[in-house]
């Protein structure tokens, strides 16, 4: 069964627009779970533009499914992630100017810092995922670093023109096959929506999708639980 993890950063972005207390991402996460999602994903950024340290503590207490924390390799972020009690850690690239995570982590260039960080998570029993582009050389480094998962970056597929869609999907299929052959478990995400999620459903060995913006956007109109259920249905899941 393909799992859905919902990224709640965008709710915190709305709250931070007024530096106030609403909408509360923790209450939102509970509603996401009420809609049937399998997990909650949040990204603690160095610039704290959306999720705050206090949110992470509150989310850890409130989330009853699975809490997936995205962090960069920045030393402060790694320290906070280690102390967070999150169920899964996804290591992502971070650039201060970007609007959202723009590309996959360059595991080749970051191999040194990854080789220091990954064992620290493993020692605490925290499974690590690397958010990477579906390229064999990146996946080979992920394997060598002994991480459990990779999250294949679906952004290029999501942004592809009609004519380039099949090529992007083939790249993702190849990446998923390669990751599996290397012994890595396969997740995917970024830029997925109600309209384009269909394309990735048949990626081989896919276990979990991480989707945020599209679900939050729909929830503005129809409510959180309905938006989550709609996405689960698009993923072929039976929903009550
Ligand atoms: N996966 C990762 C690693 C991300 O950084 C993000 C965006 O924060 C997502 C998935 C979700 O992307 P979107 O909000 O476009 O669905």
């Amino acid at each position: 069964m393909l799992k859905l993890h919902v990224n709640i950063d965008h709710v915190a972005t709305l709250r931070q627009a007024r530096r106030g207390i609403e909408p509360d991402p923790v209450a939102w996460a509970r509603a996401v779970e009420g809609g049937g999602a399998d997990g909650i994903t949040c990204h603690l950024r160095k610039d704290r533009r959306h999720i705050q340290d206090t949110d992470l503590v509150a989310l850890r207490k409130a989330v009853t499914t699975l809490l997936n924390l995205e962090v960069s390799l920045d030393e402060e972020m790694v320290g906070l992630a280690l102390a967070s009690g999150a169920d899964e850690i996804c290591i992502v690239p971070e650039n201060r100017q970007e609007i959202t995570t723009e590309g996959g982590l360059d595991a080749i260039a970051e191999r040194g810092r990854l080789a220091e960080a990954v064992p620290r998570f493993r020692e605490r029993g925290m499974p690590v995922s690397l958010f990477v582009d579906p390229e064999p050389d990146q996946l080979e480094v992920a394997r060598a670093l002994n991480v459990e998962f990779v999250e294949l970056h679906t952004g290029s597929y999501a942004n592809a023109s009609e004519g380039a869609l099949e090529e992007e999907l083939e790249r993702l299929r190849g990446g998923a096959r390669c990751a599996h052959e290397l012994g890595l478990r396969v997740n995917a995400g970024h830029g997925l929506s109600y309209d384009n999620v269909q394309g990735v459903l048949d990626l081989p060995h896919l276990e979990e999708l991480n989707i945020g913006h599209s679900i939050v956007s729909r929830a503005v109109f129809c409510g959180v639980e309905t938006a989550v259920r709609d996405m689960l249905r698009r993923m072929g899941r039976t929903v009550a």
Side-chain angles (χ1 to χ4, degrees):
M1 182 188 74
L2 181 58
K3 292 185 189 149
L4 172 64
H5 285 195
V6 177
N7 183 312
I8 62 163
D9 298 343
H10 311 284
V11 177
T13 299
L14 185 55
R15 178 194 60 192
Q16 293 310 106
R18 291 288 172 95
R19 302 278 188 276
I21 57 167
E22 62 181 11
D24 175 11
V26 179
W28 216 82
R30 285 206 208 95
V32 164
E33 290 182 318
D38 305 289
I40 302 296
T41 297
C42 69
H43 182 176
L44 185 68
R45 291 186 69 108
K46 180 86 172 162
D47 62 12
R48 308 301 201 276
R49 68 172 68 163
H50 37 55
I51 295 293
Q52 306 297 303
D53 302 43
T54 47
D55 293 328
L56 188 53
V57 174
L59 283 166
R60 179 55 297 174
K61 287 191 188 137
V63 169
T64 59
T65 51
L66 195 145
L67 181 63
N68 174 29
L69 174 62
E70 298 174 357
V71 281
S72 72
L73 281 165
D74 174 89
E75 187 49 40
E76 182 202 7
M77 295 298 111
V78 170
L80 288 168
L82 282 163
S84 68
D87 299 298
E88 285 177 4
I89 302 295
C90 181
I91 300 180
V92 297
E94 209 171 278
N95 159 5
R96 280 195 170 240
Q97 311 306 326
E98 69 194 357
I99 294 173
T100 179
T101 316
E102 278 167 359
L105 181 74
D106 186 346
I108 301 165
E110 293 287 9
R111 191 170 180 148
R113 287 206 295 171
L114 283 166
E116 280 175 28
V118 171
R120 294 170 73 193
F121 289 114
R122 288 185 70 88
E123 275 161 25
R124 298 219 178 179
M126 299 168 103
V128 176
S129 174
L130 302 187
F131 180 54
V132 290
D133 290 320
E135 299 300 335
D137 51 355
Q138 296 290 337
L139 299 169
E140 273 157 28
V141 174
R143 173 68 206 110
L145 288 163
N146 223 5
V147 297
E148 183 146 17
F149 294 93
V150 283
E151 179 176 333
L152 299 180
H153 190 323
T154 51
S156 300
Y157 158 69
N159 294 326
S161 61
E162 191 74 24
L165 276 179
E166 188 46 40
E167 191 184 324
E168 289 300 336
L169 277 176
E170 198 41 47
R171 214 157 73 85
L172 285 165
R173 286 184 203 111
R177 270 192 294 271
C178 173
H180 179 74
E181 279 160 21
L182 290 164
L184 295 158
R185 296 171 68 186
V186 183
N187 300 331
H190 207 280
L192 296 176
S193 70
Y194 295 87
D195 294 331
N196 68 21
V197 72
Q198 182 72 32
V200 301
L201 297 184
D202 69 346
L203 290 186
H205 315 294
L206 187 61
E207 295 192 28
E208 169 194 308
L209 294 178
N210 280 287
I211 308 180
H213 191 261
S214 189
I215 293 175
V216 174
S217 302
R218 180 170 292 215
V220 170
F221 290 99
C222 67
V224 188
E225 297 196 8
T226 302
V228 171
R229 285 195 196 103
D230 283 356
M231 184 56 82
L232 287 167
R233 283 193 198 96
R234 296 271 167 132
M235 290 166 59
R237 295 264 300 265
T238 308
V239 176

